[in-house]
Amino acid sequence: MALKAVHVSDVPNLDQVTENASLSLYSTRFPKGMDVSSCRTGYKIPKFLVLGHRGSGMNILQSSDRRMKAFKENSILSFNAAANFPVDFIEFDVQVTKDDCPVIFHDDFILSEDNGTIYEKRVTELSLSEFLCYGPQREPGTVGKSLLRKTGGKILSWNVESDDSLCTLEEVFEKVNPCLGFNIEVKFDDHIVYQQDHLTHVLQAILKVVFEYGKDRPIIFSSFQPDAALLLRKLQSTYPVFFLTNGGTEIYYDVRRNSLEEAINLCLDGGLQGIVSEIKGVLRNPGAVPKIKEAKLSLLTYGKLNNVPEVVYLQHLMGVEGVIVDLVQEITEAVSFMIKQPSGDGEEEVLLEGEDQIPGKTNPQFSERELSFLLKLIPALIQL
């Protein structure tokens, strides 16, 4: 079918893990070559990646686009639905309950209604059993607490076409298609200052599950919390750690979060392997991309603009190595058409006009001069 551009609205003790431990990240759809053995930097992604955001896409409950409410985000159902398309990884959010169980949930607070009264609980202050009581229940005949979501200043019922139960990190490892890599985002509240002991305790609980159930699955860790990202790298050397940043599109008290340049410095100082930036941050500051490359860091992006095939293609030309997307089917189809993935020599190719073209589809073509012009124009447009 023809693609249409989308309108964008506004640990346990890990001493047993050797310093040189490595994992060659591999799945049936992801070629060998991701190796983080004893590296501070120099981590190389061997192909242009597509990662499913919270599985088959985040839920935007107020959206008129049914695709934004097709599957419950961050659910096993959504993760396995993404596996029906040639996506390389799924991205999901992990928090740890008060009884030290890593669970999958994005928001800091979970909302429910009982007899007309709305109750709000912090996820990390719930026990595992309390957390799993919300939403659809796996036990036949059992009714869970209603699940609401605060979005755009409103509180809405969390209604989707295909609902699913809340789940733990262990269940995700056990029940999600093994061909999918995991981008595990470790979530912390932006408004809380965390002590190192607390961060270490949370990360150890997550790493305990990862090392027990990870097996040969490709895994990338990421976090917006700078100290958590640095600690993840110190606590283990098996899996790559990326620093998540808005790239300067929002300003925080912690200056390390406020620009791509700060992100580069953090990665180099802490031996992290890459950056995951809001795409607007990259488009506003395209000059940061060669700096990231010079630092031998990998670069992925996230954001609504990644649901536009032409924007994804432009990022490939700029040197971005992968995109986190909501419209998994549309973007994987576009990437398969626009970009020939590596053959035996490991080199990617961009389809040239007239080469293996599909009737009715036109691949964007840019000369170096045109690309240079676009990279100068786009930052000004993004500021509007």
Side-chain angles (χ1 to χ4, degrees):
M1 73 179 190
L3 291 178
K4 294 183 180 180
V6 178
H7 292 288
V8 180
S9 62
D10 248 315
V11 150
N13 187 335
L14 294 180
D15 290 342
Q16 71 272 19
V17 180
T18 64
E19 179 61 28
N20 293 327
S22 67
L23 176 72
S24 184
L25 299 187
Y26 173 79
S27 75
T28 57
R29 59 188 73 189
F30 187 70
K32 290 182 179 179
M34 296 178 77
D35 191 346
V36 291
S37 54
S38 64
C39 66
R40 272 181 56 89
T41 57
Y43 172 78
K44 181 174 176 56
I45 294 176
K47 58 171 284 190
F48 188 81
L49 300 180
V50 178
L51 302 86
H53 188 208
R54 305 181 200 172
S56 296
M58 68 180 292
N59 293 151
I60 304 179
L61 301 178
Q62 70 275 28
S63 174
S64 59
D65 189 338
R66 291 180 62 184
R67 295 173 296 182
M68 297 292 98
K69 295 173 283 188
F71 298 96
K72 171 68 71 60
E73 70 176 39
N74 275 332
S75 69
I76 291 171
L77 179 65
S78 182
F79 299 155
N80 282 325
N84 292 325
F85 305 98
V87 65
D88 304 289
F89 280 71
I90 50 170
E91 179 270 352
F92 55 82
D93 309 282
V94 174
Q95 303 185 57
V96 174
T97 62
K98 70 177 182 181
D99 49 354
D100 296 335
C101 183
V103 295
I104 314 302
F105 201 76
H106 174 270
D107 302 354
D108 295 321
F109 293 90
I110 193 165
L111 280 70
S112 186
E113 182 180 4
D114 185 28
N115 293 325
T117 302
I118 295 176
Y119 296 91
E120 182 179 71
K121 299 288 184 68
R122 184 178 289 279
V123 172
T124 55
E125 293 178 355
L126 297 173
S127 67
L128 175 61
S129 60
E130 290 170 334
F131 173 77
L132 294 177
C133 281
Y134 291 87
Q137 300 295 294
R138 293 200 176 94
E139 291 295 326
T142 305
V143 178
K145 294 181 180 179
S146 65
L147 194 57
L148 311 178
R149 188 174 216 177
K150 187 181 295 184
T151 177
K154 298 180 179 180
I155 296 177
L156 304 175
S157 294
W158 203 325
N159 296 324
V160 294
E161 292 183 12
S162 298
D163 212 342
D164 198 13
S165 306
L166 300 181
C167 60
T168 67
L169 180 60
E170 178 181 334
E171 288 177 304
V172 171
F173 274 110
E174 294 288 273
K175 298 179 180 179
V176 171
N177 193 317
C179 74
L180 290 176
F182 286 174
N183 173 198
I184 300 175
E185 179 186 340
V186 183
K187 294 283 295 184
F188 292 95
D189 192 325
D190 290 338
H191 302 98
I192 294 177
V193 176
Y194 294 95
Q195 298 300 314
Q196 180 168 316
D197 287 350
H198 176 77
L199 293 176
T200 300
H201 182 80
V202 169
L203 296 177
Q204 285 177 333
I206 294 171
L207 288 171
K208 179 180 179 181
V209 175
V210 171
F211 276 96
E212 185 171 351
Y213 296 97
K215 300 178 182 177
D216 293 329
R217 191 185 295 270
I219 295 171
I220 296 172
F221 284 111
S222 61
S223 183
F224 281 104
Q225 221 289 345
D227 295 316
L230 295 173
L231 275 170
L232 269 169
R233 182 68 178 113
K234 289 181 179 179
L235 287 171
Q236 58 83 43
S237 58
T238 301
Y239 302 106
V241 180
F242 283 34
F243 179 52
L244 269 160
T245 176
N246 291 304
T249 59
E250 295 180 47
I251 300 301
Y252 296 88
Y253 178 77
D254 190 331
V255 296
R256 295 174 295 178
R257 300 185 60 181
N258 290 341
S259 70
L260 287 171
E261 285 75 16
E262 288 289 348
I264 294 171
N265 292 336
L266 180 82
C267 290
L268 292 179
D269 290 343
L272 308 187
Q273 284 82 19
I275 294 169
V276 185
S277 174
E278 217 290 346
I279 176 53
K280 287 185 180 180
V282 172
L283 295 179
R284 286 179 179 179
N285 185 14
V289 176
K291 295 178 183 177
I292 292 170
K293 297 301 176 186
E294 289 168 9
K296 297 183 179 179
L297 298 170
S298 294
L299 175 62
L300 307 176
T301 66
Y302 72 93
K304 291 181 180 179
L305 284 173
N306 280 354
N307 295 321
V308 182
E310 292 80 2
V311 175
V312 172
Y313 182 72
L314 177 62
Q315 292 181 68
H316 170 67
L317 297 180
M318 293 172 64
V320 174
E321 292 161 276
V323 289
I324 299 173
V325 307
D326 296 300
L327 304 183
V328 170
Q329 178 178 357
E330 289 82 352
I331 299 304
T332 53
E333 184 177 328
V335 167
S336 297
F337 164 64
M338 292 177 176
I339 304 167
K340 282 185 176 180
Q341 297 294 3
S343 55
D345 58 8
E347 291 294 322
E348 283 182 348
E349 298 178 32
V350 176
L351 282 176
L352 301 176
E353 192 167 355
E355 179 184 355
D356 295 336
Q357 293 286 356
I358 300 174
K361 293 187 177 181
T362 304
N363 199 39
Q365 299 293 317
F366 301 110
S367 66
E368 287 189 13
R369 182 178 180 182
E370 289 168 334
L371 182 58
S372 176
F373 172 76
L374 282 171
L375 294 179
K376 292 177 181 177
L377 174 65
I378 288 173
L381 294 176
I382 292 293
Q383 298 291 346
L384 296 177

